[in-house]
Amino acid sequence: MTLLERLKIETRTAHDRIETAIDLDRRIASRDGYRALLCRFYGFHVAWEGMAGDFAPDPHFFRRRCKTDLLVKDLRALGMTAREISRLPRCDSLMPLPAPAAVWGSMYVVEGSTLGGAVIARDVERRLGLNAETGCAYFRSYGRETAVMWKSFGTMLLTASSPEVDDLIVETANRTFDVMHDWLCEAP
Ligand code: HEM
């Protein structure tokens, strides 16, 4: 079994837990609720990118996948000022990444969220009428490139896989899901 297959199986419970707890229908029922959800995602990604960037194997590969700018674009489109955005709470409960290999487990969760994001983007468009220019760039993320980006992430991840580090990568993925869960789902 490849590391990608292991990750999918061994984090399924954590994925399903977050998918249920995020209560998307309620959050995107109104523009205000949706904006509040994006504020929480911003707080996660800005903190995560600051930390994970230090361990990233290839700065170009990592930067291309950063999502904070998309969130800023959405929040601006939804009426927030740059100053308000810069003062949003940031996720300070991030797990430390004790070893460079751990970044792969964490990045697996962040990159995989773009797959669900494509589904969420369709709901946001249908419910709130927002597109990539008017407040839904983050969930659209890589747009038509989503499958290609996921595949190339998987290829890179497999080059990092080895019997010595795979357990750590899976464990970090599960911890990342937990941190995200607490940050996104326990918010008001
Ligand atoms: C912040 C919350 C979420 C995170 C971090 C997350 C993370 C992930 C990850 C890591 C994968 C990759 C699974 C694999 O290895 O193939 C994935 C796939 C997926 N997720 Fe999520 N997800 C989240 C929320 C959601 C939500 C709310 C939905 C439903 C609207 C959803 C629907 C999906 C779908 C449809 C896939 C693709 C499954 C496949 O192609 O096999 N996710 N997600």
Side-chain angles (χ1 to χ4, degrees):
M1 192 190 303
T2 69
L3 175 58
L4 261 179
E5 289 162 340
R6 247 195 92 182
L7 279 163
K8 184 166 182 162
I9 292 166
E10 293 185 33
T11 64
R12 184 166 288 149
T13 305
H15 180 278
D16 294 352
R17 175 170 171 252
I18 209 169
E19 190 177 332
T20 306
I22 205 167
D23 196 4
L24 211 62
D25 276 353
R26 179 180 62 85
R27 303 266 196 137
I28 66 169
S30 71
R31 213 177 147 92
D32 283 353
Y34 170 64
R35 194 172 86 165
L37 177 63
L38 290 184
C39 288
R40 297 304 284 183
F41 271 108
Y42 174 83
F44 177 86
H45 285 289
V46 79
W48 186 83
E49 284 167 12
M51 176 201 67
D54 292 342
F55 293 96
D58 170 349
H60 176 72
F61 177 81
F62 185 80
R63 255 198 315 276
R64 165 78 182 90
R65 290 163 189 273
C66 284
K67 295 158 184 55
T68 307
D69 288 352
L70 296 174
L71 283 157
V72 170
K73 181 178 166 180
D74 286 344
L75 292 171
R76 294 298 304 269
L78 295 169
M80 286 180 79
T81 64
R83 194 178 165 82
E84 285 169 333
I85 296 168
S86 71
R87 291 180 167 182
L88 285 171
R90 296 170 182 216
C91 180
D92 50 15
S93 57
L94 285 169
M95 80 299 290
L97 288 170
V103 80
W104 289 106
S106 207
M107 210 172 168
Y108 163 78
V109 179
V110 170
E111 286 308 295
S113 71
T114 63
L115 305 177
V119 181
I120 296 171
R122 280 199 292 277
D123 285 350
V124 170
E125 172 138 38
R126 192 169 43 80
R127 300 278 292 273
L128 299 172
L130 301 175
N131 61 37
E133 299 310 314
T134 56
C136 191
Y138 167 68
F139 284 122
R140 280 167 185 260
S141 192
Y142 311 126
R144 287 187 187 161
E145 298 291 302
T146 302
V148 174
M149 291 293 280
W150 177 242
K151 201 157 186 284
S152 65
F153 171 73
T155 305
M156 284 290 267
L157 175 96
L158 291 180
T159 65
S161 167
S162 78
E164 292 74 38
V165 297
D166 283 4
D167 286 349
L168 173 68
I169 292 174
V170 174
E171 185 195 318
T172 312
N174 272 310
R175 285 175 66 193
T176 305
F177 265 117
D178 288 347
V179 170
M180 260 197 167
H181 173 277
D182 294 352
W183 180 251
L184 295 175
C185 304
E186 288 170 9

